Amino acid sequence: MKSLVVFYSRRGENYAVGTINEGNAEHIAHVIAAKTGADIYEVVPEREYSPSYMTCINEAQQELRAQARPAFKNHIASLDDYDTIYLCYPNWWGTYPRVMATFLESYNFDGKVVKPMCTHEGSGMGSSERELASTLHGATIKAGLAIKGTNAHTSDAQIERWIKE
């Protein structure tokens, strides 16, 4: 069986690191794929979040409060060919972005090993591991990896240790 890295990451104005052309979670997703040989898949929202940091965090907070499920563009047929799924996402208001929730609820994770990883600026994994466990019935959720966004581009050794765990 194979592994798949699924990620959502936002480009644009970013907390503490300025404007970025490659999102922090995106960078880490590519590192994981390179180190594991996994396939990689980007969740692309139908409506992009604002490139302005302050506007984006307000959008994210509104979505979380409303328990929104924003649509995404690029569906994949199934996860049947994969036994391990790496999930990479930013921690927005204590959990993963609602567009990731839409993705997760769109596929069957039964029997899959799920390894979550998030970027953050002080919140760690937040409640995302608990939320994954309550959403992905039948999946085995492994301990997550939380990397500060400001350290995303210098975290290869930490990522490699986590992959091997």
Side-chain angles (χ1 to χ4, degrees), residues 4-8 40-45 68-79 82 85-89 96-109 114 132 135-136:
L4 176 66
V5 179
V6 174
F7 76 94
Y8 168 73
I40 192 163
Y41 167 82
E42 179 180 9
V43 176
V44 178
R69 293 299 184 267
F72 62 100
K73 293 180 186 180
N74 53 334
H75 296 259
I76 55 177
S78 78
L79 301 178
Y82 303 100
I85 312 289
Y86 294 90
L87 297 176
C88 300
Y89 49 87
Y96 42 83
R98 296 301 83 195
V99 71
M100 282 295 285
T102 306
F103 171 83
L104 296 170
E105 293 170 0
S106 299
Y107 294 94
N108 180 2
F109 284 79
V114 176
L132 287 170
T135 301
L136 304 181

Side-chain angles (χ1 to χ4, degrees), residues 22-44:
E22 178 186 53
N24 295 324
E26 177 181 9
H27 174 78
I28 292 169
H30 286 286
V31 171
I32 293 169
K35 292 187 178 298
T36 63
D39 293 341
I40 192 163
Y41 167 82
E42 179 180 9
V43 176
V44 178

Side-chain angles (χ1 to χ4, degrees), residues 64 91-96 123 125-128 131:
L64 184 61
N91 180 333
W92 284 2
W93 297 103
T95 191
Y96 42 83
S123 303
M125 293 298 294
S127 64
S128 64
E131 192 171 337

